[in-house]
Amino acid sequence: MTSLIAEYADPDLVDRVLQASSTDVAHLAESPVRVLVASALWIAGGITSAYVIAFLLVLTALERRIGGWRTAGVFLLGHGLATLATEIPVGLSVLAGHLPESSLHRYDYGISFGVAASVGALAGLLRPWLRWTVLAVFGWMVIGDLIAFTDPMTNWGHTMALAIGVATWPLLRRVSSRTTTGTRETPRTARACP
């Protein structure tokens, strides 16, 4: 829905809404929860972005394995922590005089950090050959962006978000195995009872 609004609404309105949803340092200092939630509703690049396909495929697969609430938790954890990890250094650099004050008002929005964390989390629930393939392909894309050096802050955010997703493996594997075990054992137990 937000991609359609961004595509077809008045450009001035879209610009104002995106600016208000931006997780730049100024907005994070003012109203962190509001902008973290609002920025996760937009897709940089619109509905034709590769992140839309990744969002749909990865979050659907993750939700089927660990449930909707936990999937939302992984997404928001990656989105929030990677955003803070990239924006706090900007704020500190401005305070130290290493960056201009205009750096506090840079556009920063989108689902990419949440998707990257979800890819990392999902990889831990896959069979080993598929796990390492997914991590290698997505990791190669992230590293390629870092090497291109077009937007280092965002590219480091993707790397951190992927690592955050990987860090959830121990917890998610326990949840996934309990869910799978419960699903498999419940019908057998039910049949065994008279």
Side-chain angles (χ1 to χ4, degrees):
M1 192 67 178
T2 57
S3 294
L4 293 175
I5 291 169
E7 183 74 27
Y8 296 110
D10 176 51
D12 291 334
L13 172 66
V14 172
D15 189 56
R16 285 194 310 272
V17 172
L18 288 176
Q19 181 60 44
S21 301
S22 177
T23 51
D24 56 39
V25 176
H27 285 107
L28 282 170
E30 204 173 275
S31 53
V33 175
R34 181 185 61 80
V35 295
L36 280 169
V37 171
S39 70
L41 299 175
W42 296 94
I43 302 171
I47 203 156
T48 58
S49 166
Y51 280 103
V52 171
I53 295 166
F55 179 82
L56 293 173
L57 294 176
V58 171
L59 269 73
T60 299
L62 192 57
E63 181 185 12
R64 290 183 55 82
R65 285 173 175 75
I66 63 171
W69 287 107
R70 290 182 183 101
T71 299
V74 168
F75 181 91
L76 292 173
L77 182 70
H79 174 69
L81 290 181
T83 297
L84 294 174
T86 55
E87 292 295 339
I88 288 173
V90 170
L92 294 174
S93 294
V94 169
L95 282 174
H98 299 298
L99 286 175
E101 195 167 316
S102 62
S103 300
L104 299 175
H105 302 282
R106 158 191 190 285
Y107 269 1
D108 186 23
Y109 64 89
I111 62 171
S112 62
F113 291 172
V115 170
S118 299
V119 168
L122 177 62
L125 302 175
L126 301 174
R127 297 188 185 279
W129 68 269
L130 188 53
R131 172 184 316 139
W132 301 116
T133 302
V134 166
L135 285 177
V137 169
F138 196 80
W140 181 253
M141 290 177 1
V142 169
I143 298 297
D145 287 344
L146 275 172
I147 292 169
F149 210 67
T150 53
D151 187 358
M153 191 173 84
T154 300
N155 297 334
W156 276 111
H158 292 143
T159 306
M160 287 185 262
L162 182 63
I164 290 165
V166 169
T168 65
W169 286 4
L171 177 63
L172 296 182
R173 284 179 177 166
R174 275 185 295 204
V175 169
S176 180
S177 69
R178 267 189 305 195
T179 305
T180 304
T181 303
T183 305
R184 287 184 187 156
E185 289 180 1
T186 303
R188 274 190 267 139
T189 305
R191 282 192 299 255
C193 294

